[in-house]
Amino acid sequence: MTDSCPFRHPKPYDRHDAVSYTPYPHNIPRARSHVARLAVSWGHPHAAGDAALLASELCTNALLHGCLRDRLFRLETTLTADALRIAVTDPRGERLPDPQPPTLIDQFGRGLLIIGALADRWGTEKLTVGKTVWAELDIKRGFVT
């Protein structure tokens, strides 16, 4: 597998963790659990559930829409003075997120809506190769706001 995901965070950070995963569904719950454990160990247990859900949705979107065979996707979790950031980088930069309202019979298509409702901010960064989709939860004095 090839890992070509560079780390570039826009703000100074207190804590950072990066894990690369193979593009298989069994890695989604692993990523979710990993982010929840980080939030707790970094002193923000109130953010663990929301952070885990954001990681799950971001990783699922990367798996469904951004992964290529034999190319890893990367999950980065970063704690700054005011936010917990979850970012997923995948190799398909030409496939940017495009939130669409799902119909009542759609089985998929709600991930970006969940991210938009849960995160305080989210966005996409196009890279030379690939893209990073990120979401942030505001952190104040140990609590999610």
Side-chain angles (χ1 to χ4, degrees):
M1 295 279 170
T2 303
D3 186 359
S4 61
C5 306
F7 172 68
R8 296 184 325 140
H9 192 275
K11 300 185 233 178
Y13 58 89
D14 297 323
R15 303 272 179 107
H16 175 258
D17 179 82
V19 181
S20 294
Y21 293 99
T22 54
Y24 297 107
H26 68 267
N27 283 319
I28 303 302
R30 289 179 178 170
R32 181 175 53 239
S33 296
H34 182 72
V35 168
R37 282 191 306 272
L38 286 174
V40 171
S41 71
W42 290 351
H44 299 284
H46 294 88
D50 290 348
L53 182 54
L54 288 171
S56 182
E57 294 299 332
L58 290 170
C59 290
T60 299
N61 283 347
L63 186 71
L64 293 175
H65 307 293
C67 286
L68 297 170
R69 187 174 155 189
D70 297 330
R71 297 290 298 273
L72 302 174
F73 69 93
R74 177 175 291 164
L75 168 66
E76 296 180 66
T77 311
T78 310
L79 179 65
T80 65
D82 56 0
L84 181 65
R85 178 183 173 108
I86 298 98
V88 176
T89 301
D90 66 60
R92 305 245 351 235
E94 73 278 7
R95 297 197 67 186
L96 297 175
D98 183 23
Q100 299 291 321
T103 67
L104 293 175
I105 60 171
D106 285 339
Q107 291 183 342
F108 300 97
R110 290 168 180 81
L112 291 174
L113 297 175
I114 292 169
I115 291 167
L118 193 57
D120 292 295
R121 287 166 300 289
W122 77 276
T124 304
E125 180 184 356
K126 196 165 168 82
L127 306 172
T128 303
V129 175
K131 68 180 174 298
T132 299
V133 183
W134 55 268
E136 291 185 346
L137 295 170
D138 286 338
I139 302 289
K140 300 290 185 214
R141 296 189 194 110
F143 296 98
V144 177
T145 59

